[in-house]
């Protein structure tokens, strides 16, 4: 069972706390989260918590707007899959996420 929760907390010393600050893409419509950067951040922070991550896949249509939610998929080195629930913390690409077990 996978379990990892990250929370937005400035200045927190605990290793379990993290906040991802990412760029956003703004084309002709609403700004969206930079999915490649989100995948990289989730991978890095999950590995730092001891998960053996093979890959993370996020959709390209998560709106970069405070309160918006989205789901990515994490695949472990063993081939297990888990949902990664994102919640946008602001309109600038900062988010918190939780890796959910199956």
């Amino acid at each position: 069972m996978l379990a990892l929760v990250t929370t937005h907390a400035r200045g927190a010393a605990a290793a379990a706390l993290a906040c991802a600050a990412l760029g956003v893409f703004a084309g002709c419509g609403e700004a969206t989260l930079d999915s490649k950067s989100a995948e990289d951040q989730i991978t890095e922070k999950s590995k730092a918590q001891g998960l053996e991550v093979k890959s993370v896949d996020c959709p390209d249509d998560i709106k970069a707007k405070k309160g918006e939610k989205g789901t990515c998929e994490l695949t472990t080195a063993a081939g297990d899959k888990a949902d990664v629930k994102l919640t946008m913390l602001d309109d600038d690409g900062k988010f918190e996420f939780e890796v959910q077990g199956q």
Side-chain angles (χ1 to χ4, degrees), residues 11-67:
L17 298 177
C19 175
L22 303 172
V24 296
F25 286 121
C28 296
E30 287 190 73
T32 57
L33 182 67
D34 179 346
S35 60
K36 174 66 174 127
S37 291
E39 293 162 357
D40 292 344
Q41 289 288 324
I42 293 167
T43 298
E44 178 184 316
K45 292 182 187 318
S46 297
K47 284 182 176 181
Q49 295 298 313
L51 290 178
E52 295 183 18
V53 179
K54 178 180 179 182
S55 64
V56 175
D57 184 37
C58 295
D60 294 328
D61 62 351
I62 299 172
K63 293 178 186 172
K65 183 176 179 182
K66 184 176 181 175

